[in-house]
Amino acid sequence: MRRNREEIISDILEAIDSKINRISSIMKYVNLSASLAKKYLALMKENGLIEEKDGEYVITEKERKVLEQIRSIRKAEIDLITLVNELKKEINLTE
């Protein structure tokens, strides 16, 4: 399944927050080519989501709050999928 831009950025933020903060490690963790990784990291730096310090990327305080919201959304998505699957099973049992 192809990821959209927001999912890729979210994955990069998760990597950096997990101390995977060098470009080569981010590329592997997020499964991006060098050119795409550089493109996204530059975009994220430009927009104040991350900073680069001594060749390593760090999340800004502002973005740390956003990352927590992203995590909440991802958890809600998983919970919703679980509920839908349970409902499907229940409906199939009553037929």
Side-chain angles (χ1 to χ4, degrees):
M1 188 163 116
R2 187 177 170 143
R3 295 176 292 175
N4 63 34
R5 181 175 146 167
E6 290 77 19
E7 290 169 324
I8 293 170
I9 290 172
S10 176
D11 289 345
I12 292 171
L13 290 171
E14 288 289 356
I16 295 170
D17 193 51
S18 299
K19 305 298 184 221
I20 299 168
N21 49 15
R22 293 196 176 273
I23 190 164
S24 59
S25 300
I26 292 168
M27 287 168 43
K28 290 175 191 171
Y29 185 86
V30 182
N31 194 26
L32 290 176
S33 66
S35 61
L36 273 178
K38 288 176 184 176
K39 173 187 165 186
Y40 277 101
L41 290 167
L43 175 71
M44 294 168 72
K45 272 177 57 177
E46 218 172 87
N47 287 294
L49 306 178
I50 59 174
E51 296 172 345
E52 188 176 3
K53 295 179 181 177
D54 300 323
E56 295 184 343
Y57 293 94
V58 294
I59 296 175
T60 61
E61 272 311 305
K62 171 186 154 187
E63 195 54 32
R64 189 163 304 285
K65 293 174 186 172
V66 173
L67 181 57
E68 289 304 318
Q69 292 173 330
I70 289 169
R71 288 175 177 154
S72 294
I73 290 169
R74 283 185 167 178
K75 184 184 178 319
E77 288 174 332
I78 291 168
D79 291 346
L80 182 58
I81 289 168
T82 301
L83 286 172
V84 168
N85 288 335
E86 288 174 3
L87 180 60
K88 285 180 180 179
K89 285 179 186 176
E90 190 172 317
I91 291 171
N92 287 335
L93 291 174
T94 59
E95 290 181 1

